[in-house]
Amino acid sequence: MKTVGRQGIAMYRERQVVDMKKGNVIGDNSIDTVYITAEKTPDSPFWVNIMIVVQDGRTNQYTQIPLKQNQGYKPTLFLGDFTGDRVEDIMVVMDTGGSGGMINAYVFAYRGSQFRPLFDSDVFNDRFKYRVFYLDYYKAQVNSYTTNQKFIIDLTTRGRQYLSEIYYPNGKLKKPIQGFVSGLSGLYPVDFDRNGTCELLAYQNIAGQYNADRLGYVQTTMKWNGQVFAPEVQNVAVFGGDIS
């Protein structure tokens, strides 16, 4: 984090404002302005050197918040209270553009006269571990080692051609198949308790034989416990098939 004085957003002459929100993020009951600034690559929607800039509504001073992963597509802001202190926190999400549909995401809160990270998508990806493998009789199993749960996915909706490439007519696997759960592919603020404090709802793609072979999503609801966003509920959502 770096304080850059009162020169204003115009000081970033080579940069553009990609998104802007107003709210009480510093906690002194003033209305602060939060910007995402970045540099546009020529003839592309890809942004580089993405940064959060906060203008203090009381002092007009500008503060930079650098991002660890600072390039991507469609960077967007959300301001909301994730910790229950009635001060809005800063959430930024951007698409990576990769075939897995993954995102980079961060949440920052004002603590001790500076903005500190509460959530980091890289930390999340390192923390949540899975194993995906196909079973006999048209099923796949997802083991979630962070929450110590297993989920069974019914593959019969995938269609005859898909299944015939993997299974013998008797339902036995032709060979062992390992799938995988991708890194973070969606992150959404949701106030499930309707108490003014947001939880985080994380989505991760479940892939079968390759990225585009989507079996469903792992959905993890996380709540701030004073130190980290801890998982409260984890589910697997699957795609439906035609009724026949």
Side-chain angles (χ1 to χ4, degrees):
M1 186 184 73
K2 181 180 179 183
T3 301
V4 295
R6 302 187 183 185
Q7 297 94 323
I9 203 68
M11 71 175 293
Y12 306 101
R13 299 182 186 279
E14 75 284 5
R15 304 175 68 82
Q16 297 183 41
V17 174
V18 184
D19 198 4
M20 183 270 286
K21 296 286 188 299
K22 289 181 177 289
N24 176 30
V25 298
I26 293 179
D28 56 5
N29 295 319
S30 64
I31 300 300
D32 312 304
T33 306
V34 184
Y35 302 91
I36 292 179
T37 69
E39 299 172 24
K40 186 81 173 290
T41 55
D43 303 317
S44 170
F46 190 71
W47 296 91
V48 297
N49 297 326
I50 300 169
M51 181 184 299
I52 300 172
V53 180
V54 180
Q55 182 187 17
D56 188 319
R58 182 176 58 84
T59 66
N60 287 326
Q61 192 171 60
Y62 285 78
T63 300
Q64 299 174 350
I65 307 174
L67 303 176
K68 184 164 59 176
Q69 303 292 340
N70 65 352
Q71 55 186 15
Y73 297 88
K74 199 180 177 182
T76 54
L77 277 173
F78 173 83
L79 304 185
D81 178 14
F82 291 96
T83 66
D85 63 358
R86 298 301 180 257
V87 177
E88 291 176 292
D89 306 307
I90 301 170
M91 176 176 170
V92 59
V93 177
M94 68 193 80
D95 299 329
T96 65
S99 61
M102 291 189 293
I103 62 169
N104 290 316
Y106 304 93
V107 177
F108 295 92
Y110 196 73
R111 298 284 188 277
S113 301
Q114 61 180 313
F115 288 96
R116 300 179 183 273
L118 301 184
F119 180 89
D120 180 323
S121 50
D122 287 342
V123 175
F124 173 89
N125 292 337
D126 289 340
R127 179 183 174 197
F128 284 80
K129 301 298 183 184
Y130 305 91
R131 181 180 172 226
V132 179
F133 52 98
Y134 284 56
L135 302 171
D136 289 335
Y137 308 114
Y138 318 113
K139 293 179 174 62
Q141 181 168 324
V142 181
N143 288 349
S144 174
Y145 296 110
T146 307
T147 61
N148 197 31
Q149 291 178 287
K150 71 176 181 180
F151 304 91
I152 305 297
I153 298 175
D154 183 354
L155 299 176
T156 56
T157 59
R158 300 304 302 273
R160 184 174 300 174
Q161 181 177 349
Y162 179 90
L163 296 176
S164 66
E165 294 173 355
I166 299 172
Y167 291 95
Y168 292 114
N170 63 1
K172 293 287 189 176
L173 278 169
K174 293 181 177 180
K175 63 179 181 180
I177 296 177
Q178 298 282 337
F180 59 92
V181 175
S182 74
L184 190 65
S185 57
L187 189 69
Y188 306 96
V190 185
D191 183 3
F192 287 103
D193 301 326
R194 303 190 307 279
N195 61 359
T197 302
C198 291
E199 290 77 40
L200 285 174
L201 176 59
Y203 274 64
Q204 294 173 273
N205 299 321
I206 306 170
Q209 302 169 89
Y210 42 85
N211 262 327
D213 184 16
R214 298 282 176 84
L215 305 182
Y217 295 98
V218 177
Q219 300 174 325
T220 307
T221 300
M222 297 175 290
K223 190 171 187 175
W224 183 253
N225 66 7
Q227 295 182 317
V228 297
F229 280 100
E232 285 212 315
V233 179
Q234 192 169 65
N235 302 299
V236 163
V238 299
F239 300 108
D242 294 333
I243 298 175
S244 59

